[in-house]
């Protein structure tokens, strides 16, 4: 059985999870420190999804850290399948939230109907960018674990 | 080698491809028959992605139809890998376009800054719904083919 880098219980996976947690938290913070995020459906959706993604990534980061410390990677196909499916569903939801947020921010900036204070608008933009980074890492985790799955 | 329903060269796959072509075309038509789609970035993006998705689905529908007629399913791992990757990339792009469109339409309907004629707004909504259906079918195709890939 090969040790695929990035699969559950390796140090690469620990880094990926840590990155997901950091980017998701940054996205959530930049969005909720803006003053009126609850008046836009897309922004509320992003906050909800990030509220789901942060505990998931954080829990798996702790599991990975523990596995690295005791040098015993997790290799139960059942657990791996749950991790792959969870990552895949979460990455789809994060992508949807990031795209919605980005398109709404773009509309707010470029239309005449709204006025959006530049300071708040750039906060929204940073939040969307962080969400995209979080999506990318989450998808990478899912793919690495999916790669390992058939060999078990 | 099992014949996975939904993989390239089966009648189920032909139905999936036909569905993708129909839903993508419907999404494109409902969007481009609206009058001012090019003033919103998200709508332009949807039109671009649908312009990519329709030829891809239509070509594979023809390939599937031919394979069903001559009763010779395609089983080259290389071709299957290209189909899986292409479907996966396209489904990601379609999901992004559908989410962007849906969130912008939602903003147009519920905000006071814009006024959106109900007839045109409902057209945008139908277009977004069709894009979501197209995403779902495209992802199903990708998963069915991915399922077959390790057995080759």
């Amino acid at each position: 059985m090969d040790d695929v880098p990035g699969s559950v219980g390796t140090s690469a996976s620990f880094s990926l999870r840590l990155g997901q947690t950091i980017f998701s938290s940054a996205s959530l913070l930049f969005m909720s420190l803006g003053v009126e995020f609850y008046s836009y459906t897309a922004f509320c959706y992003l906050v909800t999804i990030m509220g789901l993604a942060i505990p998931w990534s954080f829990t798996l980061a702790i599991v990975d850290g523990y596995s690295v410390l005791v040098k015993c990677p997790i290799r139960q196909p059942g657990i791996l399948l749950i991790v792959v499916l969870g990552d895949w569903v979460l990455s789809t939801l994060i992508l949807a939230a990031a795209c919605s947020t980005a398109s709404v921010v773009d509309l707010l900036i470029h239309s005449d109907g709204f006025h959006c204070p530049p300071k708040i608008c750039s906060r929204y933009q940073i939040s969307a960018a962080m969400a995209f980074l979080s999506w990318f890492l989450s998808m990478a985790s899912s793919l690495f674990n999916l790669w390992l799955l058939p060999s078990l």
Side-chain angles (χ1 to χ4, degrees), chain A:
Chain A
M1 190 192 312
D2 299 332
D3 201 19
V4 180
S7 59
V8 176
T10 60
S11 52
S13 172
F14 179 67
S15 322
L16 279 176
R17 298 292 174 192
L18 216 61
Q20 286 163 30
T21 314
I22 292 170
F23 287 131
S24 303
S25 309
S27 175
L28 182 65
L29 285 179
F30 274 108
M31 184 54 79
S32 37
L33 293 181
V35 275
E36 39 175 313
F37 80 88
Y38 33 81
S39 44
Y40 302 106
T41 318
F43 297 168
C44 292
Y45 179 59
L46 182 76
V47 168
T48 313
I49 296 301
M50 287 308 164
L52 280 174
I54 294 170
W56 170 266
S57 301
F58 189 65
T59 310
L60 286 174
I62 290 175
V63 170
D64 282 340
Y66 182 74
S67 294
V68 170
L69 279 183
V70 301
K71 293 190 173 55
C72 170
I74 295 166
R75 286 294 176 270
Q76 283 85 352
I79 296 179
L80 214 59
L81 189 66
I82 293 174
V83 171
V84 168
L85 285 181
D87 267 332
W88 185 76
V89 170
L90 259 185
S91 72
T92 309
L93 291 175
I94 294 177
L95 176 66
C99 291
S100 308
T101 307
S103 59
V104 167
V105 171
D106 180 77
L107 187 64
L108 287 181
I109 292 178
H110 289 110
S111 74
D112 305 325
F114 287 103
H115 68 286
C116 173
K119 204 176 159 192
I120 291 177
C121 254
S122 62
R123 238 182 223 172
Y124 292 152
Q125 279 177 312
I126 295 172
S127 177
M130 293 290 155
F132 273 113
L133 287 174
S134 174
W135 162 68
F136 189 75
L137 293 184
S138 183
M139 204 194 51
S141 279
S142 181
L143 287 181
F144 282 130
N145 286 317
L146 186 66
W147 193 256
L148 180 69
L149 202 55
S151 70
L152 291 182

